[in-house]
Amino acid sequence: MNSSKDGMARLALLGLPQDDNSTFLHGPRLAPPLIRKALFSPSANMFAETGIDLGADGLWQDAGDLPLSGLTRQDAHDVIQDGVAAILARGQAVISLGGDHSVSWPAVRAHAAQHPALTILHLDAHPDLYDNMEDNPFSHASPFARIMESGCVARLVQVGIRTLNEHQRAQVAHFGVECHEMRHGVDVADLTLDGPIYLSIDLDVLDPAFAPGVSHHEPGGMSVRDVLHIIQNFGGQLIGGDLVELNPERDLNGVTAMVAAKILREMMARCLADYAAVDSAGG
Ligand code: MN
Ligand code: MN
């Protein structure tokens, strides 16, 4: 992954305005421009807490939104996979802005093609491991079942989970998912991560007190600080990820969009810092 040309941004943001695969409410298709607006809000600066100035020229690029409206689910899936793969092929990392969580399956497929021993770190209230829901095996309730069936990743490490039913517990065991349930607390030291990491964050991992603008309110979740601490401290190298499930139609005064932007800023900074570390090691 050291192939990018001098002067080219190492990271791209890509909007995936898709919520045709949501099972309860719609709205996440509206999220990408609102997350960008919050990211650039004059109420805050562009520094990540770790000291990287994301307002500096040339560090990252906004790759815009993929044109997904009016497509069939299968066509949208293909456009997402091809769109992410095209950015990776020019040597940039990709952080995708959902959209609902169904976008992670095609986005992860594109990343796994470049990283044969990829670990997914997945923050969510829900394990999203349903074999099928509402006769749509590609709904936002199933992306990690499709990923694990495909065998395209080495590990799936889930954190924040608090909605396991019998079927999903069986899926966890079947696929060998490392599922850290919220009831046992959150300790980043328990995750023992290394190598290339794809980070998928569903905003409903947060307690609804912190993030009301999501489709599925699941109380008993993480604080914003819990999520930031994980992003800043997990082992391994962040090579890409997604931030999904902001539902602007449920938000209050844009607070969840601002939370999304705060989390995004730290994801971007971690990704850029990990690339710089690999570069300076001559890797
Ligand atoms: Mn999810
Ligand atoms: Mn969820």
Side-chain angles (χ1 to χ4, degrees):
M1 292 302 293
N2 256 353
S3 55
S4 76
K5 297 180 199 99
D6 283 346
M8 189 175 74
R10 297 304 300 268
L11 171 65
L13 288 192
L14 180 65
L16 303 176
Q18 153 83 303
D19 65 12
D20 293 345
N21 294 299
S22 291
T23 55
F24 177 57
L25 298 173
H26 295 274
R29 74 185 177 285
L30 305 171
L34 295 174
I35 298 173
R36 285 192 194 88
K37 188 177 168 203
L39 183 66
F40 291 113
S41 169
S43 79
N45 65 47
M46 290 295 286
F47 277 76
E49 291 185 357
T50 49
I52 293 180
D53 179 8
L54 294 166
D57 281 344
L59 270 188
W60 63 277
Q61 174 196 350
D62 186 351
D65 292 352
L66 288 179
L68 301 174
S69 79
L71 299 182
T72 67
R73 288 164 167 169
Q74 182 60 51
D75 285 349
H77 176 108
D78 293 344
V79 167
I80 293 168
Q81 186 176 340
D82 293 347
V84 172
I87 298 173
L88 295 176
R90 61 186 193 229
Q92 291 178 308
V94 180
I95 295 177
S96 303
L97 306 177
D100 69 37
H101 220 154
S102 69
V103 304
S104 293
W105 166 220
V108 165
R109 281 176 88 175
H111 281 85
Q114 291 215 348
H115 295 277
L118 190 59
T119 292
I120 300 181
L121 176 58
H122 169 207
L123 276 55
D124 202 324
H126 313 91
D128 294 351
L129 287 167
Y130 277 98
D131 181 54
N132 194 352
M133 182 170 274
E134 298 179 357
D135 201 28
N136 176 10
F138 301 100
S139 86
H140 74 158
S142 299
F144 296 94
R146 303 291 84 81
I147 288 165
M148 296 311 281
E149 280 166 2
S150 76
C152 73
V153 302
R155 292 171 70 192
L156 172 58
V157 179
Q158 300 183 322
V159 189
I161 307 300
R162 53 191 187 277
T163 57
L164 287 170
N165 61 14
E166 205 170 341
H167 168 65
Q168 300 219 75
R169 278 189 198 283
Q171 292 285 81
V172 165
H174 174 64
F175 292 124
V177 177
E178 298 164 60
C179 182
H180 297 261
E181 293 182 55
M182 194 70 209
R183 66 190 167 118
H184 300 309
V186 178
D187 186 347
V188 70
D190 291 341
L191 305 181
T192 63
L193 300 180
D194 58 15
I197 310 291
Y198 180 97
L199 176 60
S200 183
I201 298 184
D202 181 329
L203 286 163
D204 70 29
V205 73
L206 294 159
D207 194 277
F210 294 92
V214 298
S215 297
H216 302 262
H217 289 160
E218 190 64 38
M222 290 190 197
S223 68
V224 175
R225 179 52 52 188
D226 290 334
V227 172
L228 299 177
H229 185 75
I230 290 171
I231 295 169
Q232 291 163 351
N233 292 284
F234 68 78
Q237 184 202 3
L238 181 60
I239 57 89
D242 56 62
L243 181 60
V244 300
E245 296 284 352
L246 172 65
N247 185 340
E249 296 188 343
R250 303 262 274 180
D251 205 359
L252 300 172
N253 294 325
V255 68
T256 315
M258 284 303 284
V259 165
K262 176 79 175 174
I263 290 171
L264 176 63
R265 208 176 280 128
E266 298 304 313
M267 290 176 78
M268 294 169 73
R270 173 73 197 258
C271 192
L272 289 165
D274 287 353
Y275 267 87
V278 168
D279 279 348
S280 67

